[in-house]
Amino acid sequence: MSLKYCQGPKCHSYTTKDRLKGTKGSKTYQTRRRSSMYYGNGNFCSLHCQDDWFNKYGDQAIDHYGRVKEVKHLTEENAWVKDYDYNYRDHNNPKSNYRSVNKITKEERSLTESQYDDSTYTLNER
Ligand SMILES: [Zn+2]
């Protein structure tokens, strides 16, 4: 299992016991390494490190990927979200647990499991 490094620019500067590594006489506080991390799509060991990254690079990232410069609207045409009813138990039709729900009209349409799992599948107009 390969270890990933926390992407927090100041991770190594937090002096916790688990970050102190190395042999006696040459110990240093080091960036955390983990097989998996919970924050920021698995890139950060803590919300603190995620915030540090955003404070340092957030403006650049937003400018790079496109700053929102006008109001966005949620309309019937783009209000579809995928939903899964964990409590619904129709054993004759187990796939009916998957559906798209329109957040404005409340209309529901059933989905197949593969449509549900396909991150590019949507009823929303682009
Ligand atoms: Zn960190």
Side-chain angles (χ1 to χ4, degrees), residues 10 41 49:
K10 295 196 243 172
N41 284 347
C49 281

Side-chain angles (χ1 to χ4, degrees), residues 5-12 14 19 30-33 37 43-46 48-50 52:
Y5 293 92
C6 173
Q7 296 302 303
K10 295 196 243 172
C11 191
H12 62 285
Y14 301 118
R19 287 180 173 97
Q30 300 179 11
T31 300
R32 276 181 173 154
R33 282 166 282 192
M37 286 176 270
N43 288 301
F44 302 98
C45 72
S46 67
H48 202 133
C49 281
Q50 182 181 309
D52 288 343

Side-chain angles (χ1 to χ4, degrees), residues 44-122:
F44 302 98
C45 72
S46 67
L47 279 178
H48 202 133
C49 281
Q50 182 181 309
D51 286 346
D52 288 343
W53 188 94
F54 195 87
N55 288 337
K56 187 167 183 183
Y57 302 114
D59 282 334
Q60 280 174 261
I62 289 170
D63 285 334
H64 180 79
Y65 291 106
R67 191 169 286 273
V68 173
K69 289 179 176 160
E70 57 189 28
V71 163
K72 293 180 176 182
H73 300 269
L74 185 69
T75 62
E76 288 181 26
E77 290 70 36
N78 63 9
W80 292 99
V81 292
K82 290 177 182 177
D83 187 38
Y84 178 79
D85 186 348
Y86 292 93
N87 298 315
Y88 194 80
R89 293 282 181 269
D90 180 351
H91 297 290
N92 297 319
N93 188 12
K95 301 275 191 266
S96 63
N97 294 6
Y98 300 100
R99 61 200 177 195
S100 279
V101 180
N102 191 295
K103 291 169 75 178
I104 292 182
T105 64
K106 310 301 180 198
E107 183 187 346
E108 295 188 8
R109 294 186 195 167
S110 61
L111 290 174
T112 65
E113 188 172 359
S114 62
Q115 286 171 332
Y116 181 84
D117 291 337
D118 179 356
S119 63
T120 63
Y121 182 85
T122 178

